[in-house]
Amino acid sequence: MILEKRINVTKVFLPPLAEYNEYLEIIWRNQWLTNRGELVLKLEEKLKKYLNVNNILVTNNGTIPIQIALKNVAKGGEVITTPFSFVATTSAIVWESCTPVFVDIDPDHLTIDENRIEEAITEKTTAILATHVFGNPCNVKIIEKVAKKYQIKVIYDAAHCFGVEYDNKSVFEYGDISTCSFHSTKLFHTGEGGAIFCKDSELMKELNYSHNFGYTETNDISGVGINAKISELQAAMGLSVLHYIDYIIAERKKIVDFYNKSLDFNKIKSVKIRENTKWNYSYYPVIFNSEKILLKVQQKLAEQNIVPRRYFYPSLNTINYIKCNKMPVSEAISEKILCLPLYVGLEMKDLEKIVNLINRYSE
């Protein structure tokens, strides 16, 4: 029997409307919609406490923090990066007139292969932009060691990392700058939105004025800037969702545990989460033995109105505005990886259907 409803790879979590309306009443009372109003400031303070970070700047989407970071520290140079990420990672590098230099990935963790970074460094290298893939941290210790040796900056695309900890501290505390996405597909969201994190207070000042046309808090223009400000309406959504974030993560964990217990890993492979990581259950990718098998499984799921996502595909070194060497590991993984449905409210009968189809057709 075909499922009547569509099961997507994810589904936005919406808080009770009445709770969102309470924040809207504050907005109407203040008559303040943007330019770092009461709710934006409140959201930043609450996020600092929840994530245990010192500095955070919320933004209107998750891509512009990467662009701001590159503008401030990469300065038009070569940026060592991963070919296995969402396209925004690479497009931001090109958009900011920098040159992406790809390094292949670790086949188990799917993060940039830290042991290949040093050989890619040249006199033109100004930064490393690495992605914590599916919330799985990079080998931050080795990357930090290499960056210090060559005196280059490290930016982490931590789009998937809300709530992730590594070695008992927030993953956002690693590197010179980290960024996160608060898009509606993420486990914490503001509808559209994102954030930028930086431990260095002086650099944080630069990032702050960069997100507001170059204006400082004293209304002076300190340098070039862009409009990356988040609205009060977005902040209201974030404050409403944040109230439920522990519930969201717990519900997603139940689904991940079911997949871990029920899928046949003699036929497919899972991603290895790095040791000493407190993960957030942000995605559930599986790797098939071939693209042919993936396409067969994808078709069988589609016939039942189940829509997983080929994430990340294609390998970014193959896109049309990039000229790059072959990245054999990334290219092979990208052809065979599929992210399964994972969201609050996904019913057990649907999970059983998904697992049964995958186990049946994965050979």
Side-chain angles (χ1 to χ4, degrees):
M1 179 180 177
I2 298 177
L3 296 172
E4 294 181 0
K5 59 186 176 183
R6 179 183 170 104
I7 306 297
N8 289 317
V9 68
T10 191
K11 182 179 180 182
V12 64
F13 176 88
L14 290 173
L17 185 57
E19 295 183 20
Y20 184 62
N21 282 337
E22 290 179 9
Y23 288 110
L24 294 186
E25 289 176 2
I26 295 173
I27 295 172
W28 258 248
R29 184 179 68 238
N30 291 343
Q31 296 187 34
W32 191 323
L33 289 180
T34 188
N35 290 342
R36 295 184 61 75
E38 175 185 344
L39 298 187
V40 169
L41 299 179
K42 181 179 290 187
L43 177 61
E44 287 182 346
E45 287 305 311
K46 284 184 175 291
L47 289 174
K48 281 182 187 179
K49 292 178 182 178
Y50 183 83
L51 298 169
N52 195 25
V53 296
N54 292 321
N55 291 319
I56 180 175
L57 183 68
V58 295
T59 59
N60 51 13
N61 63 57
T63 302
I64 208 161
I66 303 176
Q67 293 175 231
I68 291 171
L70 289 165
K71 178 69 74 176
N72 278 272
V73 304
K75 301 184 184 301
E78 292 182 352
V79 178
I80 293 173
T81 192
T82 173
F84 192 74
S85 183
F86 186 59
V87 68
T89 311
T90 293
S91 64
I93 294 172
V94 176
W95 194 269
E96 293 302 328
S97 301
C98 299
T99 302
V101 176
F102 291 104
V103 168
D104 214 343
I105 62 172
D106 171 349
D108 294 320
H109 302 98
L110 306 189
T111 52
I112 193 168
D113 188 338
E114 64 278 2
N115 296 310
R116 299 188 180 198
I117 291 176
E118 189 167 6
E119 65 190 42
I121 294 174
T122 72
E123 60 182 12
K124 296 180 181 179
T125 304
T126 52
I128 298 168
L129 172 53
T131 299
H132 301 308
V133 179
F134 306 127
N136 193 17
C138 298
N139 192 324
V140 294
K141 294 179 180 179
I142 291 182
I143 292 174
E144 181 181 13
K145 184 178 179 181
V146 173
K148 283 185 175 179
K149 179 178 178 180
Y150 292 92
Q151 296 184 329
I152 53 180
K153 298 294 187 181
V154 178
I155 305 165
Y156 283 114
D157 179 347
H160 301 163
C161 288
F162 191 91
V164 173
E165 295 180 2
Y166 179 71
D167 269 359
N168 296 314
K169 69 177 183 178
S170 171
V171 76
F172 300 133
E173 289 291 286
Y174 295 96
D176 294 283
I177 301 171
S178 284
T179 69
C180 191
S181 172
F182 295 164
H183 188 268
S184 61
T185 56
K186 303 301 186 287
L187 58 99
F188 171 79
H189 73 91
T190 55
E192 272 280 6
I196 191 163
F197 304 83
C198 180
K199 293 179 294 184
D200 185 314
S201 296
E202 290 304 309
L203 179 55
M204 192 65 178
K205 288 179 183 178
E206 294 181 27
L207 300 173
N208 200 326
Y209 73 65
S210 295
H211 105 295
N212 185 25
F213 302 105
Y215 283 101
T216 66
E217 292 180 358
T218 56
N219 227 23
D220 297 316
I221 298 177
S222 286
V224 67
I226 198 169
N227 183 9
K229 299 188 304 298
I230 194 172
S231 75
E232 289 289 272
L233 296 166
Q234 291 169 287
M237 178 59 71
L239 287 164
S240 303
V241 172
L242 186 60
H243 182 72
Y244 293 92
I245 191 62
D246 290 335
Y247 165 75
I248 292 168
I249 293 173
E251 289 297 298
R252 296 171 76 98
K253 181 180 184 301
K254 292 177 184 177
I255 296 170
V256 168
D257 289 344
F258 179 80
Y259 280 144
N260 286 342
K261 180 180 68 174
S262 306
L263 287 167
D264 186 351
F265 291 101
N266 293 313
K267 300 177 180 178
I268 59 176
K269 179 183 175 183
S270 62
V271 177
K272 184 178 180 181
I273 302 299
R274 197 172 299 279
E275 291 184 5
N276 303 318
T277 297
K278 178 186 174 185
W279 191 45
N280 63 357
Y281 310 96
S282 51
Y283 292 85
Y284 198 91
V286 293
I287 302 169
F288 296 90
N289 288 328
S290 70
E291 185 177 26
K292 181 179 179 180
I293 294 173
L294 179 149
L295 293 173
K296 178 175 66 173
V297 170
Q298 188 179 35
Q299 178 60 38
K300 294 299 180 182
L301 291 168
E303 289 171 3
Q304 299 296 316
N305 232 5
I306 300 167
V307 188
R309 182 173 180 181
R310 297 188 70 177
Y311 202 51
F312 303 108
Y313 176 82
S315 183
L316 295 177
N317 63 297
T318 68
I319 56 181
N320 60 8
Y321 54 84
I322 297 294
K323 293 181 179 179
C324 182
N325 297 331
K326 298 284 288 183
M327 296 284 127
V329 180
S330 177
E331 290 175 41
I333 293 292
S334 68
E335 291 177 349
K336 300 183 293 186
I337 193 165
L338 195 67
C339 281
L340 304 185
L342 174 57
Y343 53 84
V344 175
L346 191 53
E347 298 180 25
M348 182 56 64
K349 62 182 178 64
D350 297 330
L351 285 169
E352 291 172 347
K353 171 73 77 173
I354 293 166
V355 166
N356 289 339
L357 287 168
I358 293 173
N359 287 345
R360 180 178 178 183
Y361 292 105
S362 294
E363 58 184 5

